[in-house]
Amino acid sequence: MEKVVLIKSLYRNSEEHLSKKVKISGWIRTLRASNAFGFIEINDGSFFKNVQVVFDNKLENFKEISKLPINSSLKVIGTLVATPDSKQQFEIQATEVIVEGMSQSDYPLQKKRHSFEYLRTIAHLRPRTNAFSAVFRVRSVAAYAIHKFFQEKGFVYTHTPILTGSDCEGAGEMFKVTTLDLDKTPKTEQGAIDYSKDFFGKESNLTVSGQLNAECFALAFRNVYTFGPTFRAENSNTARHAAEFWMVEPEIAFADLEDNMELSEEMLKYVISYVMAECPEEMDFFNQFVDKGILDRLNHVVSSDFAKVTYTEAVEILKATDKKFDYKVEWGIDLQTEHERYLTEEHFKKPLFVTDYPKDIKAFYMRVNEDGKTVAAMDLLVPGIGEIIGGSQREERLDVLTKRLADLNLNEEDYWWYLELRKYGETKHAGFGLGFERLIMYITGMSNIRDVIPFPRTTGQSDF
Amino acid sequence: MEKVVLIKSLYRNSEEHLSKKVKISGWIRTLRASNAFGFIEINDGSFFKNVQVVFDNKLENFKEISKLPINSSLKVIGTLVATPDSKQQFEIQATEVIVEGMSQSDYPLQKKRHSFEYLRTIAHLRPRTNAFSAVFRVRSVAAYAIHKFFQEKGFVYTHTPILTGSDCEGAGEMFKVTTLDLDKTPKTEQGAIDYSKDFFGKESNLTVSGQLNAECFALAFRNVYTFGPTFRAENSNTARHAAEFWMVEPEIAFADLEDNMELSEEMLKYVISYVMAECPEEMDFFNQFVDKGILDRLNHVVSSDFAKVTYTEAVEILKATDKKFDYKVEWGIDLQTEHERYLTEEHFKKPLFVTDYPKDIKAFYMRVNEDGKTVAAMDLLVPGIGEIIGGSQREERLDVLTKRLADLNLNEEDYWWYLELRKYGETKHAGFGLGFERLIMYITGMSNIRDVIPFPRTTGQSDF
C-alpha cells in the first residue's frame, strides 16, 4: 500500500501529485451527501487548509460514510484531480474510504462560529478550529524563528533555572514551591516555618526572569539567550496577564545599549518576516477574520527603521501635545500605555525605542548614566500594542552596583555571585526581554493572552 | 574603527583574515611575559579554542599588560599572521591592547585542573573552563538540533503547561505550588487546608510530563512535540537525578509503535550527527579528556540499524545467559540497568528497542496488546547508558481506557478531557519521551547530571 501523503504536500507540491493516486488520513471538518454522492472536507493537521474529497455510491460503505459525525477520522485513497473552475484548486475522487475512528454526534465543534470565551472551556479541542489551528502553528513557527535567528549568529541557548532560592528577587509576586506537608509544617524553635526541612533546605520560588543567570553565561560565551517559562503570581484578571508565560532573554557581552537596540530590531524583523513567509495561509486568515489590516501593520514594521528618542525628549513631546491623557505626564513618571501608544502610533508613526529612563523607576542592575539621574534602559514600543521589548545595558562597575544595592536596601550577600561577575573580568554588557505571548498576540492580532497559550494559567484557572 | 571579529570567524574563515588587520575582544585565559614581549591566550566565548596574541614592549602599556590577572577583558588590534611551524595555525601580532575590565588576583580559575565537584560551587564561573564551555555549547547545539529536526518535518512545537491541577497525575513526587501564606493557611470548616483560597482555587503542582496535553494537540495537528522543563521532587541524591530537567516529548497521530520507533531512531541519529558536525572541537575534547572512545561509540550508534526485541524475548535472553545479575530475572519484573546494559552492550552490541512490556509495570495510557497481558510500550537502550528513550502507542479505545482507569482506581472524572479525545475522532497515536540531560550526558560522556545543567537543582541544592 502506498504511503500516506500529508495535505501540506498536496498544496505545496501539487504538480507532483496531480492526476495520481494518493492516500491521505485526517479528520472530517464538514460532510454533506445526497443519495448518489457526497463531499467531505478533510483536515489532517499538517496544513491550515482542508482538502475536498468526493465520494459516490459506488463505494460499498457509501451509506456509512454519508452519515459519519463531524471529526471522525478517515483514511482516503483516490485520485487528485485538478478543478480549475471551482473554489478549490483540486479535489480527491475517492476510490476507498476507511473509517479509522468514529466521532460522536454530540461533538462540541459543529460547523458554526463559537466565541473564543466558549472555546477556552474546551482547550483540549479548540486547536481543531481554524482560528486556533492558525494561532498555535504560528506560535510554533515563531518559536523556531527565534531559535534560528540566535543560533545562526552563534548565540548559546542557556536553560536558566525555573526553581530559585528566594534570596535574589523581589518576592512579592512569586509562586512558592515546596514539598512540606502544609497540614503540619515543621517549625523552628522560634515558631517560624522551618524551611531547612524543605526540599532545597530553604524557601524556593518559581523564576520571574532568567536574566541574572544569563549574565553569568554571557560573560563566558559572549552571546547567549534564554527561552523558557517564567511566572508571576499577579492577582490580575486582564487580557494581557497570565501566571505562566514564555520569555526570550538574550544577553550580549562587549556590547552597549546601541548594540542592544540593533539586536532587538533585527530579531523582531526576522521573526515577523519568517512567520509571514512560512505561514501565508494563517496570516491571511488573521488579516480577514481576526484583525483587518494586520498584514499592512507588520509589513510596515519590517520595512521601517525604528525611531529612537530619550525618555526626557519623549516627556517633552507628550507635554507639548494637545492630546488629553488620563495620567498626567511629568518627568519621573513611568510611561503608561496611553503615552506609549501616542508616541509610536500618532507622533512617530512607527516602532520606537525610548531610552535613558529615570533611575528611580528602573531595576538595580541597569547601568547608571553620566548624569547620575538616568539609566541606560530601553523600551521598544510598537504601533497597536505599546511596549513589546524592555532591556538595558547592565551596570558593570562593581562600586556603582554595590552602591545601588545599598541604596535600595538589597542585601549584598544575596548577590555574591552576581557581584563576582564584576570582580573577575567585567566587560560592558547588555540584554533585553521579549514576552513571547505578547509577540504572538502582536503577530496574530489575537487580543486575549488566554488565546495564544495552549493551556493558559491565570488567576483561578488551571484546568487541563 | 574596524568591527570586532569573532574568534570563531578567525578559525572558520581564516583565509579571509590572514595577513590582515583584525580587532578582537575577549578574556585572558593565560598570559606570560618577559621584559621584551609576551603571549596571551584569549577566548572570546564564540569558539572553543583561544587565539594567541603576541605583544612586545613597543606598546606603551606593555608593563600594565604584562601584569594583568587571568580573565581580565581586553580589546586587541593587530595583524593575523600564519604560524605554520607552531602548534597554533596563526597568531595575532598586537599593535594595540586596550584593557576593558581588570580581573582580580584571587580569581578562582587559575590555570590548573579543578575537580568538577569544586566547579559546581562556582557555577557562575565554570562555563569559562574548557570542560563546561564544551558541555554547554553542545547542550545549546543539541537543543537546536531537536527543534530543527521536528520543525523541518512540520511538527508543531507545543508549550504544554508547567503548572498543573493535581487531579491528573500521581502526586507522590510532585512539587506543590502555592501563594498561600504558609504561616497561616486558610482552613475549611472541616479543618483541612482551604485551597479554594489559593491562586488557582485548587491544589497545584509542577508538571512531571506534558504528554497528556500534547496528545490533545496531536489529535489536531497530527505531529507535535514539547520541549520544556519538568520536575520531580524525588529525594534521591544520585548522579542521574535532578529535581528540574528538560524533556522532549513528540506525539504523533495516525501512527503506531513501529512509527514511533522509526521516529525516535531517526531523531537520535540526527541530533548526534548534527552535534558532531557542528562541534568538532568540543567533541575532540570530550574524546581526549572526558570519555576516551566516545566518538567511536557515537559513530557506531549513528551507523547502526537499531535492534528490536520484545520484553518476553529479552527475559528469555537474560535467563539463558551465565552472567550473574544482582536482581533476578523473571517475566513481570521491571528491567534493571544491569539487565538493560547487558542486552545492549553484550548481547546485541548496539542500540536496542525493547517492546511490549507487561501491562502491570506500565502506565494506564499505554495501548493494551491482543494478548491482554502486555502493552505497546518501547524503551530504547543504548550502550554505555541503558535506557535513553521511553514511549508507547497510546490506548485509543474508549472502553479499554475507561476500564484501565477503573482497574487502577483512577478517577474517571479527573480525566474527562483526556477521555473525550477518544470520543471525538480518535485515531491510533503514539509518542515518546527523551530526557534531554540524559542525552547530553550520553553525547559528552559527562557522568554527573549536575555537570550538564547550567544551574542544577537537586535535593538540598538550589544555589545561584
Side-chain angles (χ1 to χ4, degrees):
Chain A
M1 180 103 83
E2 55 272 79
K3 259 195 99 115
V4 167
V5 174
L6 296 181
I7 291 177
K8 180 172 186 178
S9 173
L10 297 185
Y11 278 92
R12 291 276 193 259
N13 318 306
S14 53
E15 289 312 311
E16 195 181 295
H17 301 292
L18 274 174
S19 311
K20 297 210 182 105
K21 192 170 167 187
V22 295
K23 178 177 170 188
I24 62 161
S25 54
W27 294 275
I28 300 176
R29 283 285 176 88
T30 68
L31 183 153
R32 60 207 156 89
S34 68
N35 290 332
F37 53 88
F39 301 93
I40 309 176
E41 294 272 337
I42 289 197
N43 189 287
D44 73 352
S46 72
F47 197 58
F48 183 69
K49 291 187 176 177
N50 309 320
V51 68
Q52 175 161 284
V53 170
V54 188
F55 64 104
D56 64 26
N57 58 14
K58 274 174 248 147
L59 296 185
E60 63 176 28
N61 57 352
F62 175 77
K63 279 204 172 141
E64 183 200 355
I65 304 298
S66 301
K67 288 178 192 149
L68 283 174
I70 300 295
N71 213 58
S72 297
S73 58
L74 301 178
K75 286 193 177 135
V76 175
I77 298 170
T79 308
L80 190 72
V81 178
T83 51
D85 298 332
S86 74
K87 220 176 65 183
Q88 301 84 13
Q89 339 166 203
F90 46 69
E91 65 188 23
I92 295 174
Q93 291 174 352
T95 52
E96 199 178 342
V97 177
I98 303 146
V99 180
E100 164 129 353
M102 288 277 283
S103 189
Q104 300 191 6
S105 56
D106 62 344
Y107 181 58
L109 291 169
Q110 299 298 324
K111 191 182 159 65
K112 68 162 198 156
R113 210 145 167 181
H114 299 278
S115 73
F116 288 156
E117 288 75 13
Y118 168 67
L119 292 173
R120 280 174 218 146
T121 68
I122 49 169
H124 60 310
L125 303 177
R126 69 177 178 168
R128 304 173 180 192
T129 64
N130 282 334
F132 289 97
S133 162
V135 166
F136 293 125
R137 196 185 314 275
V138 161
R139 185 177 169 114
S140 168
V141 169
Y144 184 54
I146 284 166
H147 283 296
K148 202 165 149 65
F149 174 79
F150 286 118
Q151 292 275 345
E152 287 176 357
K153 287 182 170 294
F155 280 54
V156 170
Y157 179 30
T158 304
H159 289 137
T160 50
I162 309 299
L163 300 171
T164 61
S166 61
D167 313 314
C168 279
E169 324 194 42
E173 295 180 333
M174 296 176 85
F175 285 101
K176 288 171 239 176
V177 176
T178 183
T179 54
L180 295 178
D181 183 344
L182 302 193
D183 273 321
K184 31 181 193 234
T185 46
K187 295 284 185 345
T188 63
E189 282 180 19
Q190 289 74 37
I193 290 177
D194 184 1
Y195 285 105
S196 74
K197 301 280 197 311
D198 207 347
F199 191 87
F200 294 113
K202 59 180 177 181
E203 280 191 79
S204 301
N205 298 298
L206 293 178
T207 186
V208 297
S209 160
Q211 178 199 315
L212 305 195
N213 296 101
E215 285 186 53
C216 302
F217 271 56
L219 293 175
F221 289 109
R222 185 181 202 106
N223 294 327
V224 305
Y225 69 109
T226 74
F227 188 3
T230 50
F231 303 86
R232 296 278 154 85
E234 229 175 303
N235 212 326
S236 60
N237 207 348
T238 81
R240 287 158 60 99
H241 291 89
E244 175 181 330
F245 55 97
W246 283 61
M247 286 258 282
V248 182
E249 296 181 287
E251 193 72 31
I252 51 179
F254 295 100
D256 60 18
L257 196 64
E258 281 297 321
D259 300 309
N260 209 24
M261 287 191 275
E262 198 180 299
L263 180 69
S264 57
E265 178 169 345
E266 193 186 344
M267 181 202 70
L268 195 61
K269 289 175 172 177
Y270 180 93
V271 175
I272 292 172
S273 303
Y274 189 85
V275 170
M276 290 199 294
E278 293 291 316
C279 303
E281 291 80 11
E282 286 83 355
M283 293 309 303
D284 279 345
F285 173 85
F286 296 129
N287 202 44
Q288 271 190 65
F289 297 108
V290 175
D291 186 359
K292 289 187 205 323
I294 192 162
L295 279 178
D296 285 347
R297 203 154 67 238
L298 294 176
N299 277 314
H300 177 62
V301 168
V302 168
S303 59
S304 301
D305 282 325
F306 294 7
K308 289 176 191 172
V309 66
T310 66
Y311 169 90
T312 303
E313 291 160 352
V315 165
E316 290 311 312
I317 292 167
L318 292 166
K319 284 168 104 170
T321 174
D322 295 334
K323 177 122 185 168
K324 288 274 167 284
F325 296 115
D326 291 339
Y327 199 94
K328 192 157 172 279
V329 178
E330 283 301 335
W331 198 97
I333 66 157
D334 214 353
L335 298 182
Q336 305 297 307
T337 303
E338 57 176 341
H339 309 135
E340 294 176 342
R341 294 189 61 164
Y342 172 79
L343 289 167
T344 181
E345 289 168 18
E346 298 184 47
H347 189 87
F348 287 92
K349 295 189 172 63
K350 61 176 175 174
L352 169 70
F353 287 106
V354 180
T355 63
D356 304 298
Y357 284 78
K359 187 171 70 170
D360 294 342
I361 59 170
K362 289 291 185 183
F364 73 93
Y365 50 73
M366 296 191 179
R367 193 179 196 278
V368 178
N369 287 327
E370 293 306 298
D371 62 15
K373 292 191 319 190
T374 60
V375 288
M378 63 175 221
D379 279 357
L380 175 61
L381 316 179
V382 289
I385 201 162
E387 185 199 331
I388 194 164
I389 282 174
S392 72
Q393 188 171 332
R394 315 308 188 189
E395 183 57 75
E396 86 278 14
R397 295 162 297 187
L398 183 60
D399 53 340
V400 182
L401 185 59
T402 308
K403 185 167 179 316
R404 281 282 275 165
L405 288 175
D407 289 350
L408 295 163
N409 286 317
L410 294 167
N411 187 352
E412 207 176 302
E413 278 163 39
D414 292 341
Y415 295 87
W416 70 271
W417 53 272
Y418 191 69
L419 292 167
E420 280 201 353
L421 299 179
R422 278 72 186 165
K423 275 177 73 178
Y424 302 124
E426 180 46 72
T427 79
K428 279 190 284 193
H429 65 287
F432 64 84
L434 166 76
F436 185 60
E437 280 74 15
R438 197 166 285 190
L439 174 68
I440 303 304
M441 291 168 75
Y442 188 55
I443 293 178
T444 60
M446 299 294 282
S447 57
N448 195 307
I449 196 167
R450 290 165 182 78
D451 297 330
V452 298
I453 299 178
F455 300 92
R457 271 72 179 104
T458 54
T459 316
Q461 173 55 264
S462 65
D463 290 344
F464 305 101
Chain B
M1 181 103 82
E2 56 271 74
K3 259 193 98 115
V4 167
V5 175
L6 295 182
I7 290 177
K8 181 174 186 176
S9 173
L10 297 185
Y11 278 92
R12 291 275 194 259
N13 318 306
S14 52
E15 289 311 311
E16 198 180 293
H17 301 293
L18 273 175
S19 311
K20 296 209 183 106
K21 194 170 167 184
V22 295
K23 179 177 171 187
I24 62 161
S25 54
W27 294 273
I28 300 175
R29 283 284 177 87
T30 67
L31 183 153
R32 60 204 155 90
S34 68
N35 290 332
F37 54 87
F39 301 93
I40 309 175
E41 293 274 335
I42 289 198
N43 189 286
D44 75 351
S46 71
F47 198 57
F48 183 69
K49 290 189 177 177
N50 310 319
V51 67
Q52 175 162 285
V53 171
V54 187
F55 64 104
D56 63 26
N57 58 15
K58 275 172 247 151
L59 297 185
E60 62 176 29
N61 58 352
F62 176 76
K63 277 205 174 142
E64 183 200 354
I65 305 297
S66 300
K67 288 178 192 145
L68 284 173
I70 301 294
N71 212 59
S72 297
S73 59
L74 300 179
K75 284 190 177 137
V76 175
I77 299 171
T79 308
L80 190 73
V81 178
T83 51
D85 298 332
S86 73
K87 221 175 66 183
Q88 302 86 14
Q89 341 167 202
F90 46 67
E91 65 188 21
I92 295 174
Q93 291 174 352
T95 52
E96 200 178 340
V97 177
I98 302 147
V99 180
E100 164 130 352
M102 287 278 283
S103 189
Q104 299 190 7
S105 54
D106 61 343
Y107 181 57
L109 290 170
Q110 300 298 326
K111 191 183 160 59
K112 67 161 198 158
R113 213 147 166 183
H114 299 279
S115 72
F116 289 156
E117 288 75 14
Y118 168 67
L119 292 172
R120 279 174 218 145
T121 67
I122 49 170
H124 60 311
L125 303 177
R126 68 177 178 168
R128 304 172 181 191
T129 64
N130 282 334
F132 289 97
S133 161
V135 166
F136 293 124
R137 196 185 314 276
V138 161
R139 184 176 170 116
S140 168
V141 169
Y144 184 54
I146 285 166
H147 284 296
K148 202 165 149 66
F149 174 78
F150 286 118
Q151 292 275 344
E152 288 176 357
K153 287 181 170 294
F155 280 54
V156 170
Y157 179 30
T158 304
H159 288 137
T160 49
I162 309 298
L163 299 171
T164 61
S166 62
D167 314 313
C168 277
E169 323 194 41
E173 296 179 334
M174 296 176 85
F175 286 100
K176 288 170 237 174
V177 177
T178 183
T179 53
L180 294 177
D181 183 343
L182 301 194
D183 273 322
K184 30 182 194 231
T185 45
K187 295 283 180 356
T188 63
E189 282 180 19
Q190 290 73 37
I193 291 177
D194 184 1
Y195 284 105
S196 74
K197 302 280 197 311
D198 207 347
F199 190 88
F200 294 112
K202 60 179 175 184
E203 280 192 76
S204 301
N205 297 300
L206 293 178
T207 185
V208 296
S209 159
Q211 178 199 317
L212 304 194
N213 296 100
E215 284 186 55
C216 302
F217 271 56
L219 293 174
F221 289 109
R222 187 183 202 104
N223 294 327
V224 305
Y225 69 108
T226 74
F227 188 3
T230 49
F231 303 86
R232 297 277 155 85
E234 229 173 302
N235 212 325
S236 61
N237 207 350
T238 81
R240 287 157 63 100
H241 291 89
E244 174 181 332
F245 54 97
W246 284 61
M247 285 258 283
V248 181
E249 296 181 287
E251 193 71 32
I252 50 180
F254 295 99
D256 60 17
L257 196 64
E258 281 296 322
D259 300 308
N260 210 22
M261 288 190 275
E262 199 180 300
L263 180 69
S264 56
E265 178 170 345
E266 193 186 344
M267 181 201 71
L268 195 62
K269 289 176 173 177
Y270 180 93
V271 175
I272 292 173
S273 303
Y274 189 84
V275 169
M276 289 199 294
E278 293 290 317
C279 303
E281 291 80 9
E282 285 83 356
M283 293 307 303
D284 279 344
F285 173 84
F286 296 128
N287 202 43
Q288 273 190 62
F289 297 108
V290 174
D291 187 359
K292 289 189 205 324
I294 192 161
L295 280 178
D296 285 346
R297 202 153 68 237
L298 294 175
N299 277 314
H300 177 62
V301 168
V302 168
S303 59
S304 300
D305 282 324
F306 294 7
K308 289 175 190 171
V309 67
T310 65
Y311 169 90
T312 303
E313 291 160 351
V315 165
E316 290 310 312
I317 292 167
L318 290 166
K319 284 166 103 168
T321 174
D322 294 334
K323 177 124 185 165
K324 288 274 166 282
F325 297 114
D326 291 339
Y327 200 94
K328 191 158 173 275
V329 179
E330 283 302 333
W331 197 97
I333 66 156
D334 215 351
L335 298 183
Q336 305 297 307
T337 303
E338 58 176 342
H339 307 136
E340 294 176 341
R341 293 189 62 166
Y342 171 80
L343 289 167
T344 181
E345 290 167 17
E346 299 183 47
H347 189 87
F348 287 92
K349 296 189 171 64
K350 60 175 174 172
L352 169 70
F353 288 106
V354 180
T355 63
D356 304 297
Y357 283 77
K359 186 172 71 170
D360 294 341
I361 59 170
K362 289 291 185 183
F364 73 93
Y365 50 72
M366 296 191 178
R367 191 178 197 280
V368 178
N369 287 327
E370 295 306 299
D371 61 17
K373 291 191 318 190
T374 61
V375 288
M378 63 175 220
D379 280 356
L380 175 60
L381 316 179
V382 289
I385 201 161
E387 186 199 329
I388 194 164
I389 282 173
S392 72
Q393 188 171 334
R394 315 309 188 188
E395 183 56 76
E396 86 279 14
R397 295 161 298 187
L398 184 60
D399 53 342
V400 181
L401 185 59
T402 309
K403 184 166 180 314
R404 280 283 274 166
L405 289 175
D407 288 349
L408 294 165
N409 286 316
L410 294 166
N411 187 352
E412 208 177 301
E413 280 163 38
D414 294 340
Y415 295 87
W416 70 271
W417 52 273
Y418 191 69
L419 292 168
E420 280 201 353
L421 299 178
R422 278 71 186 166
K423 275 175 74 176
Y424 301 125
E426 182 45 72
T427 79
K428 277 189 287 194
H429 65 288
F432 62 85
L434 166 75
F436 184 60
E437 280 74 15
R438 196 165 286 189
L439 174 67
I440 302 304
M441 290 168 75
Y442 188 56
I443 293 179
T444 61
M446 299 294 282
S447 56
N448 195 309
I449 196 169
R450 291 164 181 80
D451 297 329
V452 300
I453 300 178
F455 300 93
R457 272 69 178 105
T458 53
T459 317
Q461 174 54 267
S462 66
D463 291 343
F464 305 101

